[in-house]
Amino acid sequence: MSARRTDDSPVAVIGLGRFGCHLAGSLTQLGHEVLAIDRSPDRVQRWSGQLDRVVQADATEEDSLRQLGIADFRRVVVAIGASVEASVLAVLALTEIGVPQIWARATSGKHAKILSSVGAQHVVFPEAETGERVAHLIVSRMLDFIEFDDDFAIAKLRVPGSLAGRRLREVAPVERYGVMVVGAKLPGERFSYASPDTVLAPDSVLIVEGSIGQVQRFAALA
C-alpha cells in the first residue's frame, strides 16, 4: 500500500554493506529516489542493477561529494560500518558541505558520540534497528516506528498542526484516517491512555496504531 510522502526529495546512502543496501532498497520501495555511494567497484557493480543510481566514490573526500551534487541533498545516510574513521570523516565532510539532515550508523556508544560531535543529527544502531524501520523514520515525521508482519504498525509522532487544539472525539481518527490513537503525552506530562476528551495540544506526542499505510498517511498530515 502506498502512502503520501512528506518529502519527495532524494536520499543519498553512503556505504553499500548489508545495512546500507537494505536501507537503500527500503527507501526505493517507499518510492524515493536514492543515490548510493561506495568506494568499492565490486559493490557498485553488484548493486547497480537493483538500485536507482550507484556510483563509486570516496565519500570521505569533500570534493568528491561536491562533484556528485551532494550539496543539493537534504538527507544523507552514512551507512559505513567497516571503518569508524571513514564514517566519521564522511560525516565531517557532509557537515562542511552543509547537508541539513545527516543520519549515521554507529557500531558502539563511543562511535555514536563522535558521530554526533562532528555533525550527525541522527545516529542509528543497525544491530537493533532494521533498514525498513530507519527508512520510514528518515522520510517521515514519525519519531519512532514499529512494523509487524501482518501490515500493522505502531508509531510515535507529534500532533499534526491541522489537529492541534481539538479534542480527540472531534477528530475521530478511526473513522477519518483509519488509525487508533492509544496514547498521548501532553507538554510537561507523562504518557497516558488517550480518551475521547483528550485535547491534542500543540507539541503533544501521540502513539497511534493501524495499517502501515494508514499510519504513514496520518503522520503525513500538515
Side-chain angles (χ1 to χ4, degrees):
M1 181 181 297
S2 61
R4 185 175 63 176
R5 289 164 281 163
T6 61
D7 188 343
D8 290 336
S9 61
V11 181
V13 176
I14 298 173
L16 290 177
R18 182 180 300 177
F19 176 69
C21 291
H22 201 172
L23 175 62
S26 296
L27 289 168
T28 299
Q29 290 178 359
L30 287 172
H32 291 265
E33 180 183 346
V34 175
L35 168 62
I37 304 169
D38 198 285
R39 66 192 307 173
S40 166
D42 292 337
R43 285 182 176 174
V44 170
Q45 183 177 8
R46 184 188 313 161
W47 294 103
S48 60
Q50 301 181 44
L51 299 174
D52 297 331
R53 183 180 169 204
V54 186
V55 298
Q56 181 186 354
D58 185 352
T60 66
E61 296 290 338
E62 185 178 333
D63 289 342
S64 297
L65 294 176
R66 289 188 183 278
Q67 290 175 8
L68 291 174
I70 294 298
D72 297 327
F73 281 70
R74 293 191 60 254
R75 297 164 299 189
V76 179
V77 185
V78 178
I80 299 172
S83 171
V84 171
E85 179 183 4
S87 70
V88 172
L89 290 176
V91 169
L92 187 58
L94 294 170
T95 302
E96 291 297 319
I97 291 174
V99 175
Q101 292 185 36
I102 302 173
W103 294 67
R105 170 187 180 175
T107 55
S108 67
K110 182 179 292 185
H111 185 195
K113 289 182 179 179
I114 296 173
L115 291 170
S116 297
S117 69
V118 297
Q121 292 89 2
H122 309 276
V123 177
V124 297
F125 293 86
E127 290 73 17
E129 303 180 79
T130 66
E132 292 96 337
R133 177 175 176 274
V134 175
H136 281 291
L137 295 177
I138 290 173
V139 299
S140 76
R141 296 192 180 109
M142 289 184 281
L143 304 175
D144 205 351
F145 179 86
I146 302 175
E147 178 179 337
F148 298 89
D149 291 336
D150 54 351
D151 190 34
F152 180 80
I154 297 176
K156 179 170 72 173
L157 49 91
R158 297 197 184 280
V159 170
S162 59
L163 306 182
R166 302 170 64 182
R167 293 186 183 277
L168 195 54
R169 69 169 73 251
E170 301 172 31
V171 176
V174 174
E175 289 78 7
R176 185 173 301 180
Y177 307 109
V179 301
M180 173 73 74
V181 177
V182 296
K185 182 182 185 303
L186 306 181
E189 299 182 15
R190 303 179 65 179
F191 264 109
S192 61
Y193 288 109
S195 73
D197 291 321
T198 298
V199 177
L200 304 179
D203 297 324
S204 296
V205 175
L206 303 178
I207 301 295
V208 303
E209 63 180 32
S211 73
I212 296 170
Q214 290 167 341
V215 170
Q216 290 173 331
R217 283 190 289 274
F218 186 72
L221 292 175

